[in-house]
Amino acid sequence: MKKYLVIGNPIEHSLSPKLHNYWFEKNDIDANYSKRNIDKSEIQKIISEIKDNKLDGANVTVPFKSDVIPFLDILSEESQITQSVNTIYKQDKKLVGHNTDIKGFELSLKETRFNLENKIIFILGAGGVVPSIIYALEKLGVSKIIVSNRTKQKAENLKKNFSNINVVDWGDQPEFDMIINATSLGLGKEDKIGLNFNNIKKEKLFYDVIYNPKETNFLRTGKSLGCKVTNGKMMFIYQAFEAFKIWHKVEPKINEELKRFLDL
């Protein structure tokens, strides 16, 4: 039986095991997928388990997407540019780090049918999937990307790899066509972003990378303004879909049955 897992901290909320084990069953693959809450000091041990064939692959979630890089042999182009790895696999006895968050975000945007060409995108947050989101948005031809983070320097650091982005202070509210919440604000019921959206026009898109809970305060705000809203459900499913393809050379089905099973 092949073994896979996702590592992160915290990891309790992750639905990756539920999703991958569902696909194993549907595709008659003899494998198991689990989750492990680890500390940074345990990364090397996990990598050694993959090298020693005790594990067949791993997903990486916050806050370790860049911390795993020094322990890998090869990085895909996407991981090199974003300095972010969420999928680890073995190729010719070498460990490869890849980033399927980019494709996951791209494919999720297609489902919204929101035209991004020449649009202004405002991103809240600078860690986790933000480099992947910026990479995808630049490919999709947006006109401007603005980033705001509670620790401004973290947002400024993104300019090393993405020199065209604009950084504003936390609490500032520039003009935008699409706003993305990539912070952990929203995981708590009382969490508020602290921006005033009262004068926002209806044709905006509110996108929250959080998928559990389904509807954050951020999305509720967007909905109350009559804007289009979407959570991170499809990004989560599509990034897993891309990892599954790499590991098993199989394209698992994404359908309503799956979405109901995940209760997303």
Side-chain angles (χ1 to χ4, degrees):
M1 181 186 271
K2 292 192 166 184
K3 289 182 179 175
Y4 301 85
L5 53 63
V6 57
I7 57 169
N9 192 342
I11 200 73
E12 298 76 34
H13 65 285
S14 175
L15 291 177
S16 290
K18 192 174 180 179
L19 175 54
H20 282 271
N21 288 322
Y22 172 89
W23 277 337
F24 290 155
E25 200 178 312
K26 291 287 180 186
N27 293 281
D28 293 321
I29 294 168
D30 187 20
N32 177 261
Y33 188 112
S34 59
K35 53 187 170 189
R36 205 182 292 179
N37 195 323
I38 68 162
D39 293 319
K40 191 176 174 179
S41 59
E42 296 172 84
I43 291 172
Q44 194 164 5
K45 179 178 172 286
I46 300 283
I47 301 298
S48 297
E49 285 181 43
I50 304 171
K51 278 187 174 162
D52 299 338
N53 296 318
K54 289 175 185 168
L55 285 171
D56 296 276
N59 281 135
V60 185
T61 188
V62 288
F64 303 124
K65 292 185 183 196
S66 57
D67 293 329
V68 296
I69 291 173
F71 303 102
L72 303 172
D73 302 311
I74 301 165
L75 287 185
S76 67
E77 185 189 343
E78 292 90 339
S79 281
Q80 246 165 351
I81 292 168
T82 58
Q83 284 298 289
S84 180
V85 165
N86 80 325
T87 302
I88 300 170
Y89 63 100
K90 227 175 180 178
Q91 192 175 66
D92 305 324
K93 295 185 179 175
K94 290 203 177 335
L95 289 190
V96 184
H98 184 47
N99 182 342
T100 69
D101 285 327
I102 298 162
K103 196 78 178 160
F105 180 69
E106 253 179 75
L107 291 169
S108 77
L109 279 179
K110 275 187 184 169
E111 295 221 348
T112 68
R113 294 193 171 91
F114 187 80
N115 180 17
L116 284 164
E117 214 174 318
N118 299 320
K119 296 288 196 295
I120 299 168
I121 317 297
F122 183 29
I123 304 172
L124 302 169
V129 294
V130 171
S132 309
I133 286 172
I134 294 170
Y135 183 98
L137 289 170
E138 286 188 343
K139 270 172 52 185
L140 292 166
V142 302
S143 69
K144 193 178 188 181
I145 299 168
I146 305 162
V147 180
S148 182
N149 193 59
R150 280 168 286 190
T151 310
K152 192 176 182 181
Q153 191 53 50
K154 200 171 178 185
E156 293 285 359
N157 290 344
L158 289 167
K159 286 186 173 179
K160 289 173 193 166
N161 295 321
F162 305 101
S163 56
N164 293 330
I165 66 166
N166 297 268
V167 174
V168 297
D169 289 331
W170 185 255
D172 283 3
Q173 195 169 315
E175 274 290 313
F176 64 83
D177 298 295
M178 173 186 184
I179 183 167
I180 302 169
N181 176 34
T183 71
S184 56
L185 283 169
L187 286 172
K189 280 183 181 161
E190 301 308 312
D191 285 351
K192 293 275 197 300
I193 299 280
L195 292 174
N196 181 2
F197 296 118
N198 291 340
N199 300 319
I200 297 292
K201 288 178 184 158
K202 284 185 181 178
E203 62 272 16
K204 313 290 184 196
L205 172 63
F206 278 60
Y207 187 112
D208 202 322
V209 301
I210 294 168
Y211 60 86
N212 191 9
K214 288 185 226 183
E215 196 178 65
T216 58
N217 280 328
F218 172 77
L219 292 184
R220 268 194 289 276
T221 300
K223 203 186 257 185
S224 71
L225 295 165
C227 294
K228 196 166 191 170
V229 301
T230 187
N231 67 14
K233 164 186 71 181
M234 293 315 298
M235 180 181 179
F236 162 67
I237 291 173
Y238 280 124
Q239 64 76 29
F241 172 84
E242 293 295 320
F244 199 90
K245 280 199 302 185
I246 290 167
W247 289 331
H248 311 292
K249 311 289 183 278
V250 170
E251 288 202 2
K253 276 189 183 156
I254 296 173
N255 52 26
E256 289 308 312
E257 184 193 329
L258 169 69
K259 291 173 197 173
R260 280 195 303 273
F261 172 73
L262 292 172
D263 190 30
L264 292 176

